[in-house]
Amino acid sequence: QVQPVESGGGSVLPGGSLRLSCVASGRTFSNKVMGWFRQAPGKEREFVAAISSSGGSTYYADSVKGRFTISRANAKNTVYLQMNSLKPEDTAVYYCAVHYSGSYYYTGSYGYWGQGTQVTVSS
């Protein structure tokens, strides 16, 4: 079992940067594809990025491609999401999750969700 815990959220100005971290307990972390999702008020949870178990492959939503970077440090059981050039529409609660099966882009393919961390982009 892998249980994620997110941190690093906060409030930033448009154009600013934040780095989110997700520490996942469990000895099988290095075998798991990990994903980041987000949910804005009144909207469904949506895919942001995913990373393969080795870190060699990454996947991004079109809305964040070129601005966000997902990475991982298996020795630290940690996945990161570096967010640059933030926009007000990036405001949401960001969740880390462990991929179970199926498409990396689909919320239902993930289990063991974290509690989320709030990101607010506003002037």
Side-chain angles (χ1 to χ4, degrees):
Q1 182 173 345
V2 181
Q3 184 59 50
V5 178
E6 305 94 338
S7 63
S11 296
V12 295
L13 296 173
S17 298
L18 280 175
R19 188 176 81 155
L20 306 183
S21 298
C22 169
V23 179
S25 61
R27 293 186 295 175
T28 61
F29 173 83
S30 61
N31 298 331
K32 303 295 186 183
V33 171
M34 298 295 294
W36 284 98
F37 288 75
R38 66 186 182 187
Q39 188 166 17
K43 296 188 177 181
E44 293 188 354
R45 192 169 298 188
E46 65 176 7
F47 171 79
V48 175
I51 187 166
S52 63
S53 56
S54 68
S57 297
T58 55
Y59 312 85
Y60 296 96
D62 288 342
S63 59
V64 306
K65 205 171 290 184
R67 299 188 299 123
F68 290 11
T69 302
I70 188 171
S71 61
R72 68 189 294 161
N74 284 344
K76 298 181 179 180
N77 276 27
T78 302
V79 178
Y80 304 99
L81 185 68
Q82 177 66 45
M83 305 185 296
N84 298 328
S85 302
L86 283 162
K87 305 175 181 179
E89 51 263 45
D90 294 319
T91 296
V93 177
Y94 283 71
Y95 298 91
C96 177
V98 182
H99 179 260
Y100 178 65
S101 67
S103 169
Y104 297 153
Y105 299 87
Y106 177 48
T107 307
S109 299
Y110 291 76
Y112 301 116
W113 293 81
Q115 294 299 307
T117 185
Q118 176 71 46
V119 172
T120 302
V121 185
S122 174
S123 57

